[in-house]
Amino acid sequence: MTQFDRTELTLFAALPVLVLLSVLLPSWIVNYIQVSLGTGMVALGVMIQMRAGLVSFGQGLYFCIGGYAAGLAGKYFGITDLFALLGLGVVVALVTSVALGFLLRRYREIFYAMLSLAVSMILYGLLSSTEELGSTDGFNLPVPTYLFFAPEGETARLTLFAITATIVILSAVVLNRLLRSSLGLVNEAIRENELRVEYLGTSAHMAVHMTYVVAAVVSSMGGVLWALALGHVDPEMTNWTTSGSFVFIVILAGTGSIIAPLIGTFLLEILRVYAVELSPNTWQMILGSVMLLTIIFLPKGLWSLVQKTSPRKRFDPDTGDAVAKGV
Amino acid sequence: MRKISRILMTTTAVATATICAAPVFADDVKVGVVTFLSGGAAGPFGVPARNAAELVIDAINKGDLPAPYNTAGLAGNTIAPVYVDENSKQKNADFQKLVEKDGVEMVVGYISSSSCKSIAPEAEKLKRLTILFDCGTPQIFEDIVTEPHYTFRTAATATMDNVAAARYLMDTGADAGRVAGINQNYAWGQDSWRDFSASLEQLAEATEVVTEQFPKVYAGQYGSEISALLTNRPEVVHSSFWGGDMEAFVIQGSARGLFERSKVVLTAGETAMFSLAKQIPEGTVIGARGPHGDLAPESDLNTWFRAAYKERFGSEPTYPSYKMAQALLGVKAAADKAGSSLQDDVIGALEGLEWEGPSGKVSMALAGGHQAIQDTAYGTFKLAEDGSASLVDVIRYDAGCVNPPAGVKSLNWIKSGFDGATCN
């Protein structure tokens, strides 16, 4: 397990590239990369569940929990330290997901999707009707500090970017390990045939529960990082349209690699930006057409383009490609 | 497979070409215009506002407007608008893109208060003139950006609508002993009801809230809420519903006799005045979030605006259109006064500026000259003999009568008994 696979090496190599890009590229693109890294984390959460055949239509729940935990800690306790806020978001998500996992782990397919959606919409309803938290208008977050370091202006922007990138890359590496671990393999087996998994002596419930909690933690970290970059949270974070967009990204990008959702998020963002620029009134049509074409021509997502060029990968059990006939 | 990859490569090539070919015009002032172009708020707000922007920008460029705006351009420079959809999860990133990539001189836009809350600090950070034209939350300059330099708001806050609604009820002698509210359960509805009930508490001798209904936004069905309103027998019903929700409430409520039993105040009722002329019961109190639409005072500018809008888009302009026109004319007035369309000159001239919009005089009186106040008006709906909708018993309120003085938070001002209000 100490050996790094290609995905991990690519991720490690991507980190200095990302940091370098943040200095070289115009800051508006860097900003899109940064928000994409935040939402990309949530897409990762959706993706690891999808590996187990579970479609979470309510991942916005943990995205929002992360954002609000950080926001509330800043608003009421004056905490501005990024690591403290991140830790807080993770703890709240952890507690919530462990509790909700007992319920959700018993459901599969559409029932899992609907139940996760329902829970996220409960939070949406609660936040929208709470005037103290700004209701649907939400509220603003403080500018983050880093332990004893409180940068300003350009330095603050670059620091937040570098830290976001580092956290996202490290999380992606850990998640990649998770997919290669026995839990990850059990998840794929659950997707194929849950009954056999149980006969083989493994608890499918336990595996689903753990995956759910991991996905929640990753999503909440995405929520904290995204909210700090934006400086504002509102209940829209847990609305079904937001959750739906994460599922969208994963379908577009494919579940072949942990890198796919991260790149997919950014591509979709840039596609949207240029679609709006090209046709501000009907940009959704452009986005929809791209989705449709992707699903028709690349049913396994954009990542299948990358995979096809490297035949060695085809039989790599890590990617799940060899077993995935006709899925 | 090769075919597919060729298709994809072509697509990528085309996309890259589009990305690189950003058009640049010399001597044009680029203005970012951000409103809802999709989603639930597009129909009632975003699109009428964008239409008004198209109309007014064209007219400014051609110099077609009535005096004093009858010179072409912003201090002679043509406006090149860049339209952006406010319906986006990455509003701040989109804003930054407008500023840095598109290189806009200023941004005019933002309907939702949530957008305004996140954009205002961003505008100050990126140092770009940003004119909020519609969003209503008083928090923008009270809490979020307390010392604005780049952020302006050319629309009055939502406080004005509800203070004026309460005053109108008093001035028309309505009984307001038993009051009820039906407002959408989100920031706008909650704030509106809070301001209205607080105002009425100050103005009426004895008033009691008999029921507060908060259905969710876009619910569309108000059967049980209307039942609750009927059984509690309120004398006044306040509603800040807008767009489709408001129309649904009017149709469902009038069918069940709610409007006969109680005096209903629709603070944003004006948008449905003409389309639902047959359904709105007479006697309903109607507001337009300022002296817009049918409540706008007679002027050459207003006449021109209504006629030009109707000719181009086939419908009467509603208040979001008026507010957009008001913001753009403010920019023009400031640029012409400064003799320049450069950001810093426009900012200098816009601070504390007074100008005439299609709905009358606007003054940037609050928040150090960054927040507008204006007169407002309410009227009572009446169907004329010929079947056309009209407002009667229109009462106008001075800006100083329904807006807090500089430096006072809205709710504190209401609770202090409107300390410092100057009513005529």
Side-chain angles (χ1 to χ4, degrees):
Chain A
M1 281 306 275
T2 47
Q3 214 183 337
F4 296 115
D5 73 357
R6 260 178 59 170
T7 311
E8 287 163 2
L9 292 175
T10 315
L11 282 166
F12 282 129
L15 185 57
V17 174
L18 276 175
V19 174
L20 194 67
L21 283 180
S22 75
V23 187
L24 295 179
L25 287 176
S27 62
W28 66 272
I29 299 185
V30 179
N31 204 10
Y32 278 116
I33 300 181
Q34 182 158 1
V35 289
S36 306
L37 286 173
T39 47
M41 290 273 269
V42 193
L44 283 183
V46 173
M47 181 248 193
I48 59 169
Q49 293 175 80
M50 226 179 249
R51 280 284 187 102
L54 302 165
V55 182
S56 167
F57 249 104
Q59 207 58 26
L61 173 70
Y62 294 104
F63 182 53
C64 182
I65 283 182
Y68 266 74
L72 290 175
K75 190 177 157 100
Y76 290 109
F77 306 117
I79 303 175
T80 55
D81 184 70
L82 180 128
F83 303 103
L85 294 176
L86 203 60
L88 208 71
V90 167
V91 168
V92 180
L94 193 71
V95 172
T96 322
S97 60
V98 167
L100 283 176
F102 285 108
L103 178 71
L104 275 149
R105 68 182 192 180
R106 298 161 55 192
Y107 297 89
R108 299 290 178 271
E109 296 171 353
I110 188 75
F111 306 101
Y112 185 84
M114 288 296 117
L115 202 59
S116 58
L117 173 70
V119 179
S120 77
M121 290 310 287
I122 291 175
L123 183 68
Y124 179 77
L126 280 177
L127 291 176
S128 305
S129 47
T130 313
E131 281 190 60
E132 291 72 29
L133 300 183
S135 183
T136 41
D137 285 353
F139 55 89
N140 287 14
L141 275 78
V143 177
T145 56
Y146 313 91
L147 300 177
F148 300 105
F149 180 46
E152 275 176 23
E154 191 70 355
T155 334
R157 192 176 68 81
L158 293 175
T159 316
L160 183 58
F161 180 85
I163 292 197
T164 305
T166 313
I167 293 171
V168 172
I169 295 287
L170 289 181
S171 312
V173 170
V174 171
L175 286 181
N176 191 54
R177 279 292 155 99
L178 188 87
L179 292 186
R180 288 166 65 198
S181 72
S182 52
L183 176 67
L185 297 176
V186 167
N187 276 345
E188 283 180 36
I190 291 173
R191 185 185 66 202
E192 296 302 319
N193 192 331
E194 186 171 345
L195 205 58
R196 280 198 190 173
V197 174
E198 295 272 347
Y199 274 128
L200 287 170
T202 309
S203 166
H205 276 182
M206 187 55 96
V208 168
H209 200 155
M210 280 169 70
T211 310
Y212 181 73
V213 171
V214 171
V217 167
V218 180
S219 307
S220 71
M221 286 164 75
V224 175
L225 295 173
W226 186 83
L228 285 176
L230 188 72
H232 180 81
V233 287
D234 62 34
E236 202 53 36
M237 289 174 86
T238 180
N239 200 4
W240 65 269
T241 49
T242 311
S243 302
S245 71
F246 297 130
V247 178
F248 229 34
I249 289 165
V250 179
I251 290 172
L252 181 83
T255 55
S257 163
I258 209 84
I259 303 175
L262 293 176
I263 296 179
T265 311
F266 178 66
L267 282 183
L268 195 68
E269 201 55 55
I270 289 296
L271 178 69
R272 185 189 62 82
V273 170
Y274 281 100
V276 171
E277 184 169 314
L278 215 60
S279 146
N281 296 306
T282 51
W283 58 272
Q284 281 102 335
M285 262 175 67
I286 301 178
L287 230 57
S289 314
V290 172
M291 294 288 163
L292 214 58
L293 291 175
T294 314
I295 290 166
I296 293 172
F297 292 110
L298 298 167
K300 298 191 76 192
L302 289 174
W303 194 254
S304 51
L305 284 176
V306 182
Q307 252 169 356
K308 290 225 172 70
T309 56
S310 54
R312 273 187 304 133
K313 277 250 156 189
R314 289 194 96 152
F315 304 101
D316 188 344
D318 294 351
T319 62
D321 226 37
V323 282
K325 50 173 195 297
V327 179
Chain B
M1 259 317 95
R2 280 177 64 188
K3 204 170 163 191
I4 292 175
S5 61
R6 200 181 307 147
I7 293 174
L8 279 160
M9 276 166 74
T10 320
T11 324
T12 323
V14 171
T16 326
T18 333
I19 289 167
C20 297
V24 181
F25 302 101
D27 280 316
D28 280 359
V29 191
K30 279 196 166 188
V31 175
V33 179
V34 190
T35 74
F36 283 108
L37 301 175
S38 62
F45 300 130
V47 171
R50 187 214 53 207
N51 288 350
E54 283 178 5
L55 178 75
V56 173
I57 288 173
D58 278 358
I60 289 178
N61 286 345
K62 288 186 194 138
D64 283 352
L65 287 162
Y69 303 108
N70 49 1
T71 53
L74 294 182
N77 300 313
T78 316
I79 303 176
V82 181
Y83 293 98
V84 175
D85 193 347
E86 188 178 337
N87 183 18
S88 155
K89 292 191 203 326
Q90 318 290 9
K91 285 168 191 154
N92 288 28
D94 292 350
F95 178 83
Q96 193 169 353
K97 185 218 160 214
L98 263 181
V99 171
E100 286 174 4
K101 174 171 177 290
D102 300 329
V104 294
E105 196 67 29
M106 65 192 84
V107 177
V108 178
Y110 300 105
I111 290 170
S112 128
S113 289
S114 170
S115 311
C116 288
K117 274 179 158 177
S118 60
I119 291 296
E122 192 76 23
E124 297 293 324
K125 203 159 81 187
L126 296 181
K127 304 192 187 321
R128 188 59 39 143
L129 170 57
T130 299
I131 295 151
L132 310 172
F133 84 102
D134 187 30
C135 58
T137 176
Q139 287 176 21
I140 300 297
F141 297 122
E142 289 179 1
D143 300 318
I144 292 169
V145 180
T146 44
E147 283 173 7
H149 181 71
Y150 296 95
T151 321
F152 288 84
R153 178 159 53 181
T154 55
T157 63
T159 304
M160 176 180 88
D161 305 334
N162 296 292
V163 173
R167 285 197 186 277
Y168 183 83
L169 286 172
M170 291 300 106
D171 294 346
T172 49
D175 294 320
R178 297 169 62 80
V179 188
I182 173 163
N183 291 283
Q184 291 142 329
N185 199 2
Y186 79 114
W188 160 254
Q190 293 154 1
D191 291 353
S192 294
W193 172 244
R194 191 194 57 213
D195 288 348
F196 176 80
S197 51
S199 300
L200 209 54
E201 212 166 87
Q202 295 294 330
L203 294 168
E205 309 229 316
T207 180
E208 176 201 359
V209 173
V210 291
T211 176
E212 302 177 351
Q213 297 293 323
F214 283 106
K216 72 179 211 289
V217 64
Y218 305 136
Q221 285 291 333
Y222 304 101
S224 52
E225 286 83 6
I226 291 168
S227 301
L229 291 176
L230 286 167
T231 50
N232 282 295
R233 301 188 155 271
E235 283 154 332
V236 167
V237 174
H238 166 271
S239 178
S240 61
F241 277 20
W242 48 264
D245 284 10
M246 186 257 302
E247 297 184 10
F249 174 66
V250 166
I251 292 167
Q252 293 162 26
S254 58
R256 294 180 57 187
L258 176 69
F259 287 65
E260 278 91 66
R261 189 176 285 192
S262 315
K263 185 138 206 105
V264 181
V265 183
L266 300 172
T267 60
E270 189 262 343
T271 54
M273 218 180 95
F274 299 100
S275 53
L276 286 186
K278 298 274 187 301
Q279 278 96 345
I280 301 180
E282 287 196 2
T284 306
V285 177
I286 296 221
R289 304 214 43 225
H292 308 300
D294 210 52
L295 291 164
E298 292 265 325
S299 70
D300 286 351
L301 192 58
N302 187 25
T303 318
W304 169 84
F305 184 60
R306 290 193 88 83
Y309 191 97
K310 189 151 190 193
E311 187 190 291
R312 182 153 169 181
F313 303 107
S315 61
E316 298 282 346
T318 50
Y319 70 77
S321 315
Y322 271 84
K323 288 180 134 176
M324 176 56 89
Q326 180 164 312
L328 289 168
L329 291 175
V331 171
K332 173 151 175 65
D336 289 353
K337 183 182 158 199
S340 153
S341 59
L342 294 174
Q343 156 171 293
D344 293 334
D345 300 325
V346 175
I347 289 177
L350 193 55
E351 265 177 11
L353 185 73
E354 281 192 4
W355 74 95
E356 290 291 329
S359 29
K361 193 176 80 181
V362 188
S363 11
M364 301 298 277
L366 302 181
H370 286 249
Q371 166 67 53
I373 57 170
Q374 64 185 131
D375 298 351
T376 193
Y378 269 84
T380 303
F381 185 80
K382 188 169 167 53
L383 207 57
E385 298 270 313
D386 60 355
S388 64
S390 68
L391 293 175
V392 294
D393 300 331
V394 173
I395 301 182
R396 297 196 176 277
Y397 293 96
D398 273 0
C401 182
V402 287
N403 288 287
V408 183
K409 289 196 180 191
S410 306
L411 195 60
N412 295 346
W413 175 67
I414 297 175
K415 287 192 171 150
S416 72
F418 309 105
D419 193 22
T422 48
C423 302
N424 50 356

